[in-house]
Structure formats: structure tokens, C-alpha cells
Amino acid sequence: MSRPGRDDAPDRLYTLTQGRARSTPGTPFDLLTLVVAECDPVPGMQSEHAAILRLTERPTAVAEVAAELRLPAVITKILLSDLLAEGRVSARHPRRAMLGGRPDSHILEQVLVGLRNL
């Protein structure tokens, strides 16, 4: 027995992204990119866009946004690209903490946790 809503999942994702399979080239998003809302949701806005704006009132990693929305990271990046193009969010990559030329193990552990949550 399938779960409700699972049969239409591919159609829903296709609709969310308007058929796009990748985010806009040159957008700065990877799983660690911090996203911050620059405005509040507006009436008539796509529900996922509105949810992203609510989730990113404070800096939030792309991986966390995807996990909260229960969407694949690639779909989340497409939605974030839309919001970035409209000036509704800003994005920045966290500074890379380096110790002796190697990534900080705490940062790597956080990335692993984020990936597991997807």
C-alpha cells in the first residue's frame, strides 16, 4: 500500500520547479550555503517559497531548509534560486574553518548530519 501523496510526488516536484532539473547556473547554493530571508511571504506566493522565507528568518543552511521542507536538495536549490533572483533571499557561504590546512572535523561532522537528514 502506498502512502498518500506518494503517487503524485514526481508530478508535484515537476510543477514546483516548472520542469527545471537544475538551479540557475551561477547561483551560489551548496548544502552549507546560509540563506537569509530579505522579506516576509506575500499573499499568492507559492507555498514552498513562503515556507522558505519563514524558515530563513535567521541564517539557515540549504541542507536544513531541504530537510524541513522534506524536499530533495536539488529541488530546494531551484526554489532558492527563484527567490534569490527576485531579491527575496540572500545567500553566503560560511567561512571555511581550517586548522593546519585541513577542514575542521566539527564542520565535517555537521555536513554529515545534514546529509543524513536529507
Side-chain angles (χ1 to χ4, degrees):
M1 178 180 222
S2 66
R3 294 190 323 201
R6 290 303 236 176
D7 295 335
D8 63 346
D11 291 339
R12 177 176 168 264
L13 296 178
Y14 183 86
T15 302
L16 284 177
T17 63
Q18 298 171 354
R20 293 169 290 162
R22 294 192 181 123
S23 58
T24 307
T27 54
F29 299 111
D30 63 26
L31 293 177
L32 293 179
T33 303
L34 296 175
V35 180
V36 180
E38 296 294 334
C39 65
D40 292 326
V42 295
M45 177 180 275
Q46 183 174 328
S47 62
E48 288 76 12
H49 284 155
I52 289 171
L53 292 177
R54 285 190 293 275
L55 286 170
T56 59
E57 289 176 349
R58 294 185 177 157
T60 307
V62 170
E64 292 178 67
V65 174
E68 285 291 326
L69 294 177
R70 297 178 185 259
L71 289 173
V74 67
I75 301 299
T76 302
K77 290 177 187 179
I78 293 169
L79 296 173
L80 287 168
S81 294
D82 294 343
L83 291 170
L84 183 67
E86 296 170 1
R88 296 182 185 274
V89 298
S90 59
R92 69 177 177 85
H93 201 281
R95 284 185 239 167
R96 296 183 182 169
M98 299 293 280
L99 298 175
R102 299 179 64 198
D104 183 351
S105 62
H106 180 70
I107 298 280
L108 293 176
E109 186 175 324
Q110 288 178 325
V111 171
L112 185 58
V113 169
L115 290 172
R116 285 183 182 150
N117 287 335
L118 293 177

